[in-house]
Amino acid sequence: MKNRLFILLGILLITGSLSAQTKVRVYGYVIDTNNRGIEFANVFFQNTTVGTTTNQNGYYELTMNVKDSATLVYSMLGYQTIKHTIHPHQQIVQISVELPALSKQMEGVNILGQRRQTSTLDMLDPGKFRVMPNAAGGIESLLITFAGVSSNNELSSQYNVRGGNFDENAVYVNGIEVYRPLLIRSGQQEGLSFINPDMVQNVAFSAGGYDAKYGDKMSSVLDIQYKKPTEFEASVSASLLGASAYVGTANARFTQMHGFRYKTSAYLLGTLDTKAEYNPAFFDYQTYLTYQLSPKFELTFLGNFSQNSYQFVPQTRETTFGTYTDARKLTVYFDGQEQDLFRTSFGALTLNYRPVKGMKLSLLGSSFYTNENETYDISGEYVISEVKADPDPTKQTGASLGVGSYQQHARNRLNAYVNNFSHLGEYDIAGHKMKWGMSIQNERISDNKSEWERRDSAGYSLPISDKLVNLYYNLKSDTVLSSWRSTAFYQDTYKWNTDGGAFSVTGGLRANYWTFNRELLVSPRFAISYLPHWKRDFSFRFATGLYYQAPFYKEMRDTVTDALGNVKVQLNNHIKAQRSLHFVLGGDHYFRAWGRPFKFTTEAYLKLADRVISYSVDNVQIVYSGKNDAKAYTAGMDFKLYGELVPGADSWINLSLMNSKQDIIGDSYINHTYDANGNVLTTKRVYPGWVPSPSEQRYTFSMLFQDYLPNNPKYKMQLKFIFSDGLPFGPPNNIEYRTAFRSPAYRRVDIGASRVLVSGTDKMMNKSWLKHVKNIWLNVEVFNLLDFENVNSYYWVTDVSNHKLAVPNYLTGRQLNLKVMVDLK
C-alpha cells in the first residue's frame, strides 16, 4: 500500500512539474555602444543546449520551456558578457541588450558590427524570401523590388535597370557569365531563367558603377554565388505552376548539389484575353560539384540543361479598349498554331589553387550551346466595333467600324556555341585586395530565319499598292558568324583608416578585343567610399567608369531591302560597341527606430551614352537597327528604406525617379500644312531630336513587406507591390510618332500567406513516417490581388476611316496559387 502511495505521489509531482513549465519565446537585438547590431553574437540559456547566434542586424530568437526562471547569456569575442534572468510571466518576451567592448586590446581580434556598404553592390540573402509570391519562379522576381529595377511583365524574368534594356544586364554564376536564348519574343515562351533559387547562397546586385572585374554590359550586374553544402540537405516543392526538387550532400573532400525544376504556366495564361490551348512545359536540371584534391587545390563543375517547349493553339480573342465615351472592341477568330522548342546546355570546369595565404588562382573552361526553333502559322479574322453603354452584355456590341484579316508565318532556327577559357586571380596583402583576369572566347552562331505577315484591312492588302500585293512585314536570314573575343582586367582595392573615418578606393582597367570588327576597347573604372567617424552612422560612395557593350549577335543584324520589298538580314561588320559613361553618387544612413535596425539609401546617377544602337521593344523581343545611329542620356535618383518593420523580418520600400532620352542621329520626317480644300501649303522637314527612350519609366514605386503573427511566428505573410510608369510606344515604322504615346502605369499586388510545420515543435511532425522531414511550408498565393489590367504591348489595326488603332495586349489577371515546400534532413 505504501509503495502505491509513493508511486502516486511521484506521478503527481512530475505532472505538477511539467504543468508548471511555460513555453517562452524570447527575441530581440544585440547591439554595441554605437547602436549597431552585432553579428554572430552568442545567445543561449545557461546550463542548457538551447542557443543561437545573431544575424547581420544583431537579431536573435529562442524558444524554450521555462519553469520558474531561466538565465540568458549574451557573449561575443571582444565584448563583455551580459546575463539576463527571465521569469515565465509572459509567453513572448522581447529583450535587447547592449554589449560594451572590452577595454583591453586583443591582438589579432577584429570586433565586427553591422556590415556597411562600400561599393555599388547590394547584398541579399535569398533564403529569407523562399515563400515570397512569385509568378515567374526565379530570383528575378525579388530583384524587381530593388531600387532602379523595373519590369512590366510578370511572365518574364527579364528586367530593366535605370533606362537600359534587357540585353544590358550581365548575370554571373560563380564568376561565370551565363546567357539566355536569343529568339524569345514573349513572356509566354520564356519559361525558367538560368538561376536555380534552391542552390543560391548569396545575391549581389549593382545598378551601375560596378568594378572592372565585371564584363561588358552597360546597365547592371547580377552576381550569384551557389552554395557548398556542409551536410545532407534536400527539399521538394509543388504548386499549380510547377514543381522542383533539390538535394545536396557533403563529406570531407566532396560536395554535390542537384536541382530539378519543372514549370507550366498554362494555369496562369488562362487569364489572358486570347482564349487558346496553352501547353507550355519548361524543364531544367543543374548540378554543382566540388572536390578538394589537396589542401591547396580544388576542382569544381557547374552544369545545366534546360528545355522550353511552348505549344499554342489560339481560338478567339475579345479585347475592349478606348475611353468610356469612345470605347472599341476587337474580336478575333483564329486558325493555326505555334510550336516552339528551345534547348540550352552549359558546362563549366574550374580549378582553384591557393598557393599562399590570401592568394587564389583559378583556371576556368566553359561551354554554352543553344538550339532554338520557332515555328508558327496563325491566321486571324478580326472585327472592330463600337461598344455601347448598356447594362445588358449581349447588347453592348455596336456598329462595325472595320474588318480585316492577317496571317503570320515563321520558320526560325538558331544554333549558337560559346566556348570560353579564362584565368582569374586575387591576392590580399597589406590592405590591398588585387584582382585580375584574362579570357579568350569563341562564338559560332548560325541563324536561319524566314518570317512574314500579311494584313488585309477593309478589303485592301497593307501596305496599299495599285500594282503589287505587298506583305505587311517580311524578314529572311541565312547568316553564319564565327568570331573570337579576348578580355583582360586588373583592379585593386585599398582600405585605410584615419581619425576622421575609414576609406576604401577601388581602381581598375578592363580591355576587350573582338575579331569581327577589329575593335580594341579600354574601360577605366574608379570607386571611392567614406565611412565617417560621426556620432550618427553614415556612409558615402562615388563611382565612375567608362562602360562598353560590344554587340553579341542581335545588335549587329542590319537589313537590306530589294526592289520587290524583300527584307534580308545582313551583318554589319562596321558596327562599334555601344559606350556609356557612368557617374553614381550615393550614401546610406543607418539608424534604429522602435528598437529595430533601418537603413535609408539615396543614389543619384547620370549615364551619358553614344554609339548607341537604337531599338524597339515588342513584349520581350528587342529589335535593333543594326547601326550605331543614336546617342542617349539617363539621369535619376533612387531612394530606399530598408529595415525590420517587424523584428527579424526584412522589408523595404523604393522610389525611383528617372529621365531617359535618346536622339537618333539624322532621322527626320516631312510635315505638311494644308488649306481648307486639302491642298498643301507648306512643306517642312522636321528633326525630332531628343525623345523618350523605349525603356524610360519616369517613376517606379515598389515595396516588399514581411510580417508574422506575434504569438505564433510560424504564420507568415509577404506582400509585393509595384507601381511604375508606362513605357513609351508608337505606331510601327513611323518616325513622327515613334514614342509619342505612353502605355498605362503598371500596377501589381501579389500576396502570400504561409504556415511552417517544424520537426520537434509541431505534434503532426512527430509521426514516424515524417522522421526525415525537417520543415513543411504550406503557402497560399494570390497573384495580381486587385486584378489590375496591365498592358504589355499593342497590336495596331486600321478602321474604315483609315485611323490606326492601338489595341492593348493585356497581361494576366487575378489568380490563386497553392504551394507546398518540404525540407528533408
Side-chain angles (χ1 to χ4, degrees), residues 370-400:
T370 180
N371 181 11
E372 306 174 24
N373 293 272
E374 181 187 44
T375 62
Y376 55 81
D377 281 290
I378 297 176
S379 60
E381 296 183 351
Y382 65 84
V383 178
I384 307 171
S385 55
E386 293 180 336
V387 177
K388 296 180 179 179
D390 195 300
D392 185 355
T394 62
K395 299 179 180 179
Q396 291 179 354
T397 302
S400 173

Side-chain angles (χ1 to χ4, degrees), residues 645-776:
L645 296 176
V646 294
D650 294 336
S651 301
W652 57 80
I653 299 173
N654 301 308
L655 174 63
S656 297
L657 304 174
M658 178 179 63
N659 180 28
S660 182
K661 297 293 187 287
Q662 71 172 10
D663 180 10
I664 298 180
I665 301 169
D667 66 331
S668 63
Y669 61 90
I670 302 298
N671 185 38
H672 301 288
T673 59
Y674 301 89
D675 60 17
N677 298 320
N679 300 314
V680 176
L681 294 178
T682 61
T683 299
K684 181 181 179 181
R685 181 172 294 276
V686 179
Y687 296 89
W690 294 99
V691 298
S693 66
S695 300
E696 183 194 49
Q697 289 179 284
R698 296 166 297 184
Y699 59 86
T700 299
F701 177 83
S702 61
M703 177 179 68
L704 182 68
F705 174 67
Q706 298 188 96
D707 199 0
Y708 54 80
L709 294 181
N711 295 328
N712 194 342
K714 295 176 182 178
Y715 289 90
K716 299 181 183 293
M717 184 277 292
Q718 292 190 325
L719 183 142
K720 184 173 67 174
F721 172 62
I722 298 174
F723 180 73
S724 59
D725 191 18
L727 294 171
F729 75 97
N733 305 316
N734 189 306
I735 296 175
E736 183 176 0
Y737 299 104
R738 181 191 293 116
T739 55
F741 310 106
R742 194 173 289 269
S743 61
Y746 181 83
R747 302 161 297 165
R748 186 174 178 89
V749 178
D750 295 337
I751 191 170
S754 62
R755 167 67 157 94
V756 59
L757 303 172
V758 182
S759 176
T761 61
D762 288 285
K763 292 182 180 180
M764 174 185 173
M765 302 293 288
N766 295 330
K767 300 182 183 298
S768 59
W769 57 278
L770 291 174
K771 63 181 179 180
H772 295 297
V773 176
K774 183 179 179 181
N775 300 313
I776 298 178

Side-chain angles (χ1 to χ4, degrees), residues 273-479:
D273 281 351
T274 300
K275 305 306 174 185
E277 295 179 12
Y278 293 99
N279 186 20
F282 311 109
F283 168 78
D284 168 86
Y285 165 72
Q286 285 192 43
T287 183
Y288 180 53
L289 314 173
T290 72
Y291 185 71
Q292 196 73 38
L293 299 170
S294 70
K296 293 186 176 182
F297 284 94
E298 180 191 44
L299 190 66
T300 72
F301 175 75
L302 175 63
N304 166 263
F305 173 79
S306 68
Q307 175 175 295
N308 294 354
S309 173
Y310 178 69
Q311 297 181 7
F312 170 57
V313 183
Q315 297 167 351
T316 62
R317 169 181 174 174
E318 193 171 281
T319 302
T320 302
F321 61 101
T323 63
Y324 179 78
T325 57
D326 189 24
R328 300 286 185 265
K329 183 169 71 173
L330 173 71
T331 305
V332 187
Y333 302 94
F334 294 101
D335 187 22
Q337 65 176 336
E338 176 177 354
Q339 292 188 344
D340 306 326
L341 183 63
F342 306 91
R343 287 196 180 107
T344 63
S345 56
F346 174 83
L349 188 66
T350 303
L351 178 65
N352 297 317
Y353 174 49
R354 300 179 183 271
V356 295
K357 183 180 179 180
M359 177 177 283
K360 180 182 177 181
L361 305 174
S362 302
L363 291 176
L364 302 88
S366 65
S367 181
F368 168 78
Y369 171 69
T370 180
N371 181 11
E372 306 174 24
N373 293 272
E374 181 187 44
T375 62
Y376 55 81
D377 281 290
I378 297 176
S379 60
E381 296 183 351
Y382 65 84
V383 178
I384 307 171
S385 55
E386 293 180 336
V387 177
K388 296 180 179 179
D390 195 300
D392 185 355
T394 62
K395 299 179 180 179
Q396 291 179 354
T397 302
S400 173
L401 299 177
V403 296
S405 65
Y406 67 88
Q407 182 178 359
Q408 297 173 331
H409 165 93
R411 296 291 185 271
N412 299 331
R413 293 172 177 82
L414 184 142
N415 289 276
Y417 299 84
V418 180
N419 300 304
N420 182 286
F421 182 77
S422 58
H423 160 66
L424 296 175
E426 58 182 65
Y427 188 34
D428 293 359
I429 184 173
H432 290 267
K433 186 167 187 178
M434 295 170 283
K435 294 184 179 182
W436 64 90
M438 58 188 68
S439 69
I440 185 168
Q441 178 170 296
N442 176 244
E443 300 160 3
R444 289 176 292 154
I445 301 173
S446 174
D447 182 20
N448 292 279
K449 182 186 293 286
S450 176
E451 59 184 43
W452 50 264
E453 179 179 358
R454 177 190 61 82
R455 288 196 190 182
D456 183 286
S457 180
Y460 294 93
S461 180
L462 301 177
I464 297 175
S465 171
D466 56 358
K467 297 181 180 179
L468 299 172
V469 177
N470 293 316
L471 292 174
Y472 182 79
Y473 161 80
N474 74 92
L475 183 67
K476 282 187 173 292
S477 174
D478 185 12
T479 58

Side-chain angles (χ1 to χ4, degrees), residues 559-724:
T559 56
V560 293
T561 306
D562 63 20
L564 298 177
N566 299 313
V567 182
K568 188 173 183 179
V569 170
Q570 177 178 283
L571 300 183
N572 180 6
N573 58 3
H574 297 294
I575 200 163
K576 301 296 181 182
Q578 301 179 87
R579 181 168 56 192
S580 179
L581 180 61
H582 288 198
F583 299 95
V584 181
L585 177 64
D588 303 316
H589 175 38
Y590 299 83
F591 63 97
R592 301 186 78 85
W594 309 290
R596 303 164 199 160
F598 288 88
K599 180 178 75 170
F600 181 69
T601 298
T602 302
E603 280 195 351
Y605 60 90
L606 173 65
K607 300 195 294 187
L608 305 174
D610 65 350
R611 309 202 304 188
V612 174
I613 305 170
S614 63
Y615 64 92
S616 60
V617 182
D618 183 13
N619 203 308
V620 298
Q621 183 185 33
I622 301 176
V623 180
Y624 292 93
S625 66
K627 310 179 195 59
N628 300 104
D629 57 357
K631 55 185 178 180
Y633 71 86
T634 302
M637 294 192 71
D638 295 331
F639 306 91
K640 180 176 183 178
L641 178 63
Y642 176 95
E644 298 184 1
L645 296 176
V646 294
D650 294 336
S651 301
W652 57 80
I653 299 173
N654 301 308
L655 174 63
S656 297
L657 304 174
M658 178 179 63
N659 180 28
S660 182
K661 297 293 187 287
Q662 71 172 10
D663 180 10
I664 298 180
I665 301 169
D667 66 331
S668 63
Y669 61 90
I670 302 298
N671 185 38
H672 301 288
T673 59
Y674 301 89
D675 60 17
N677 298 320
N679 300 314
V680 176
L681 294 178
T682 61
T683 299
K684 181 181 179 181
R685 181 172 294 276
V686 179
Y687 296 89
W690 294 99
V691 298
S693 66
S695 300
E696 183 194 49
Q697 289 179 284
R698 296 166 297 184
Y699 59 86
T700 299
F701 177 83
S702 61
M703 177 179 68
L704 182 68
F705 174 67
Q706 298 188 96
D707 199 0
Y708 54 80
L709 294 181
N711 295 328
N712 194 342
K714 295 176 182 178
Y715 289 90
K716 299 181 183 293
M717 184 277 292
Q718 292 190 325
L719 183 142
K720 184 173 67 174
F721 172 62
I722 298 174
F723 180 73
S724 59

Side-chain angles (χ1 to χ4, degrees), residues 127-139:
K128 298 179 180 180
F129 307 96
R130 291 184 61 193
V131 293
M132 181 190 71
N134 191 341
I139 288 289

Side-chain angles (χ1 to χ4, degrees), residues 38-42 74-81 99 110 112:
I38 301 176
E39 187 176 9
F40 301 127
N42 298 304
Y74 302 85
S75 66
M76 177 68 180
L77 188 64
Y79 293 88
Q80 296 180 23
T81 298
L99 297 185
N110 291 322
L112 299 178

